[in-house]
Amino acid sequence: MSAGAGSLWAVARFLGSLLASLILILVIWWLFLLAFPDIGPIIGRTPADVYAYLFTAPDAADSRHQILADLWITLKDAAVGFVTGMIAAVLAAALFVVYRPAAQTFMPIAMLLRSVPLVAMTPLITLVVGRGVAVVAVMGGIVVFFPALVMIMTGLANAPRHLDDVIAVYGGGRWTALRRSAVPSAVPALFSAAKVSVPGAFIGATVAEWLGTNKGLGATLQQALPAAAYDQLWASVVVITVSSIVVYAVVGVIETVVLRQMGMSEN
């Protein structure tokens, strides 16, 4: 099998597994409504109900327009949190791998902060940075940062030792070894961190919108529940979930292609 055909097969296999996961989610959704009949039909909505709300109901066009407008805001907020958290995680991981005492000092504090629920920190974060894009960056970055940091640190620390020895023999320092050896070998870990961080970025964005900016799908969820707008509520949840899966799939496809080109196997 050629390299191009192998890459296409790997991508198809990845997308197939993701499609199976999506079907499983729909089955669990349906079984959940069957297991708890008290939720519906007043509150509960089936996949068919959500489809009708977005595509076949008389006012479906207006509903779809509002959902997509809110989705665009949430996508931008999730992107801000994702980029902020990933950049911070990469920089911190590089620093901690090169200077071990920094990791030993910071990681216990980081784990302590991570144990505090994000919702509990939201009022304080909003008070400090305001209700604009800064609160989105901080809250999304917090959710993305910690799991990405651990995975990237592991990838950087697992660089082949013999390459570090060769670099040291030729006079290279720790930063040179990081750049020449650790970073290339950590590419699979970097992609794994990115995939794990995609759902976290959406969570951070919706929480920030719910409690901070009052915009996007997070704010829609907050407003739909007390207003008993259950069609809008379930549709918003579905759109957020599907969008997260789609972005995850995009990252996974890029990972598969890049690692194949580098002669590595994806995790």
Side-chain angles (χ1 to χ4, degrees):
M1 184 181 293
S2 65
S7 297
L8 289 176
W9 171 246
V11 169
R13 186 174 55 191
F14 170 77
L15 294 178
S17 64
L18 207 60
L19 179 61
S21 299
L22 181 58
I23 294 174
L24 180 60
I25 291 174
L26 294 176
V27 171
I28 293 174
W29 179 1
W30 178 70
L31 292 176
F32 174 80
L33 293 177
L34 288 180
F36 299 95
D38 293 340
I39 295 178
I42 298 176
I43 299 176
R45 296 294 184 271
T46 66
D49 294 331
V50 172
Y51 180 84
Y53 175 76
L54 292 176
F55 296 103
T56 61
D59 56 349
D62 293 336
S63 301
R64 191 167 61 249
H65 174 76
Q66 182 61 48
I67 291 285
L68 292 178
D70 291 335
L71 172 63
W72 178 242
I73 297 173
T74 300
L75 286 174
K76 291 190 293 184
D77 290 342
V80 170
F82 178 83
V83 172
T84 302
M86 286 296 294
I87 290 177
V90 169
L91 295 177
L95 178 64
F96 294 164
V97 168
V98 173
Y99 297 107
R100 296 290 181 178
Q104 296 171 357
T105 301
F106 176 79
M107 289 304 291
I109 300 175
M111 293 302 103
L112 179 62
L113 292 175
R114 186 67 182 91
S115 65
V116 179
L118 185 62
V119 174
M121 294 190 296
T122 302
L124 178 60
I125 295 173
T126 304
L127 182 64
V128 173
V129 302
R131 292 182 174 271
V133 69
V135 70
V136 174
V138 172
M139 296 181 65
I142 289 174
V143 177
V144 170
F145 175 78
F146 291 101
L149 173 63
V150 174
M151 299 182 73
I152 296 171
M153 278 186 63
T154 302
L156 293 175
N158 289 337
R161 295 301 177 190
H162 65 277
L163 293 180
D164 294 344
D165 295 337
V166 172
I167 292 172
V169 168
Y170 282 92
R174 286 179 293 182
W175 287 106
T176 302
L178 178 75
R179 187 175 69 254
R180 298 290 188 180
S181 173
V183 170
S185 65
V187 171
L190 181 63
F191 274 112
S192 296
K195 289 195 298 183
V196 170
S197 299
V198 165
F202 276 89
I203 292 173
T206 52
V207 172
E209 292 167 352
W210 186 308
L211 301 173
T213 66
N214 293 322
K215 298 178 181 179
L217 288 175
T220 298
L221 294 174
Q222 178 197 34
Q223 298 160 6
L225 189 58
Y230 297 119
D231 288 321
Q232 185 183 34
L233 176 67
W234 284 82
S236 298
V237 172
V238 169
V239 168
I240 291 175
T241 303
V242 172
S243 300
S244 179
I245 292 174
V246 169
V247 178
Y248 179 93
V250 171
V251 176
V253 169
I254 296 173
E255 175 195 26
T256 301
V257 173
V258 171
L259 294 187
R260 284 272 177 170
Q261 293 296 323
M262 296 178 65
M264 300 178 177
S265 59
E266 59 272 14
N267 295 333

